[in-house]
mmCIF file of all heavy atoms in Angstrom:
data_model
loop_
_atom_site.group_PDB
_atom_site.id
_atom_site.type_symbol
_atom_site.label_atom_id
_atom_site.label_comp_id
_atom_site.label_asym_id
_atom_site.label_seq_id
_atom_site.Cartn_x
_atom_site.Cartn_y
_atom_site.Cartn_z
ATOM 1 N N MET A 191 15.765 -27.915 4.559
ATOM 2 C CA MET A 191 14.328 -28.097 4.832
ATOM 3 C C MET A 191 13.528 -27.028 4.114
ATOM 4 O O MET A 191 13.962 -25.893 4.102
ATOM 5 C CB MET A 191 14.088 -28.046 6.307
ATOM 6 C CG MET A 191 12.766 -28.659 6.713
ATOM 7 S SD MET A 191 12.519 -28.761 8.512
ATOM 8 C CE MET A 191 12.513 -27.060 8.977
ATOM 9 N N PHE A 195 6.404 -19.640 4.185
ATOM 10 C CA PHE A 195 5.948 -18.245 4.302
ATOM 11 C C PHE A 195 4.438 -18.274 4.338
ATOM 12 O O PHE A 195 3.810 -19.268 3.945
ATOM 13 C CB PHE A 195 6.422 -17.495 3.047
ATOM 14 C CG PHE A 195 7.926 -17.353 2.935
ATOM 15 C CD1 PHE A 195 8.608 -18.256 2.136
ATOM 16 C CD2 PHE A 195 8.608 -16.399 3.663
ATOM 17 C CE1 PHE A 195 9.985 -18.176 2.065
ATOM 18 C CE2 PHE A 195 9.966 -16.279 3.516
ATOM 19 C CZ PHE A 195 10.675 -17.155 2.737
ATOM 20 N N ASP A 200 -8.421 -12.172 7.431
ATOM 21 C CA ASP A 200 -9.771 -12.700 7.606
ATOM 22 C C ASP A 200 -10.737 -11.642 6.990
ATOM 23 O O ASP A 200 -10.999 -10.661 7.649
ATOM 24 C CB ASP A 200 -10.061 -12.902 9.094
ATOM 25 C CG ASP A 200 -11.382 -13.549 9.353
ATOM 26 O OD1 ASP A 200 -12.016 -14.011 8.349
ATOM 27 O OD2 ASP A 200 -11.802 -13.592 10.521
ATOM 28 N N ILE A 273 3.511 4.295 11.904
ATOM 29 C CA ILE A 273 2.277 4.096 11.088
ATOM 30 C C ILE A 273 1.228 3.370 11.935
ATOM 31 O O ILE A 273 0.040 3.570 11.814
ATOM 32 C CB ILE A 273 2.595 3.339 9.823
ATOM 33 C CG1 ILE A 273 3.526 4.173 8.871
ATOM 34 C CG2 ILE A 273 1.328 2.967 9.018
ATOM 35 C CD1 ILE A 273 4.053 3.371 7.672
ATOM 36 N N GLY A 288 8.513 -6.856 12.855
ATOM 37 C CA GLY A 288 7.500 -6.333 11.974
ATOM 38 C C GLY A 288 7.940 -5.138 11.179
ATOM 39 O O GLY A 288 8.689 -4.265 11.667
ATOM 40 N N ILE A 315 -5.675 11.949 -0.953
ATOM 41 C CA ILE A 315 -7.106 11.969 -0.738
ATOM 42 C C ILE A 315 -7.482 10.776 0.157
ATOM 43 O O ILE A 315 -7.188 9.633 -0.180
ATOM 44 C CB ILE A 315 -7.916 11.823 -2.073
ATOM 45 C CG1 ILE A 315 -7.503 12.960 -3.048
ATOM 46 C CG2 ILE A 315 -9.399 11.839 -1.819
ATOM 47 C CD1 ILE A 315 -8.078 12.796 -4.433
ATOM 48 N N LYS A 445 13.025 -8.687 1.898
ATOM 49 C CA LYS A 445 13.354 -8.763 3.346
ATOM 50 C C LYS A 445 13.557 -10.200 3.763
ATOM 51 O O LYS A 445 14.403 -10.538 4.581
ATOM 52 C CB LYS A 445 12.261 -8.130 4.215
ATOM 53 C CG LYS A 445 12.298 -6.657 4.160
ATOM 54 C CD LYS A 445 11.497 -6.021 5.294
ATOM 55 C CE LYS A 445 11.555 -4.498 5.208
ATOM 56 N NZ LYS A 445 12.926 -3.952 5.281
ATOM 57 N N GLY A 448 16.586 -11.641 0.603
ATOM 58 C CA GLY A 448 17.716 -10.868 0.132
ATOM 59 C C GLY A 448 17.703 -10.595 -1.330
ATOM 60 O O GLY A 448 18.601 -9.939 -1.912
ATOM 61 N N GLU A 465 -7.684 -10.772 -14.104
ATOM 62 C CA GLU A 465 -8.490 -11.043 -15.297
ATOM 63 C C GLU A 465 -9.247 -12.312 -15.170
ATOM 64 O O GLU A 465 -10.290 -12.519 -15.828
ATOM 65 C CB GLU A 465 -7.584 -11.121 -16.519
ATOM 66 C CG GLU A 465 -7.195 -9.699 -17.061
ATOM 67 C CD GLU A 465 -5.989 -9.732 -17.937
ATOM 68 O OE1 GLU A 465 -5.555 -10.814 -18.427
ATOM 69 O OE2 GLU A 465 -5.410 -8.660 -18.189
#
Side-chain angles (χ1 to χ4, degrees):
M191 198 174 64
F195 296 96
D200 186 9
I273 294 170
I315 303 172
K445 286 200 179 298
E465 280 159 17

